[in-house]
Amino acid sequence: AADPLWPDTFIVDVYCHPAFWSHAGDLLAALATSAGPRQIAYAETDDSAKLAAFEAAGFHPVTTLPRWLAGRDVIVLARA
């Protein structure tokens, strides 16, 4: 979805059944042509399947938000 505070920026998220995380990169790749010029995603540092899916789809880590969600670190990823 487009973010009203950041022009030309879309927030991207993905969720899969645990047995299908290996296909999450395909889902994210399909969004590449339909989303805006800059895409931002978030994932908890211990969510290795979600991080791998974003990185396989061309997202790269930008920063880490320490203890951001219920005391857990969150990684911010971007794809331009």
Side-chain angles (χ1 to χ4, degrees):
D3 190 304
L5 299 176
W6 296 342
D8 300 321
T9 301
F10 284 70
I11 305 297
V12 179
D13 198 6
V14 65
Y15 178 78
C16 291
H17 182 279
F20 295 100
W21 270 109
S22 61
H23 299 285
D26 297 332
L27 292 171
L28 291 167
L31 291 174
T33 57
S34 63
R38 182 173 54 178
Q39 301 164 27
I40 302 294
Y42 302 90
E44 294 178 33
T45 55
D46 62 351
D47 195 343
S48 58
K50 191 172 195 176
L51 287 166
F54 279 123
E55 290 176 356
F59 284 82
H60 62 276
V62 175
T63 193
T64 300
L65 305 172
R67 297 178 306 282
W68 194 254
L69 257 173
R72 295 181 301 227
D73 295 350
V74 171
I75 297 176
V76 180
L77 302 106
R79 175 170 68 178

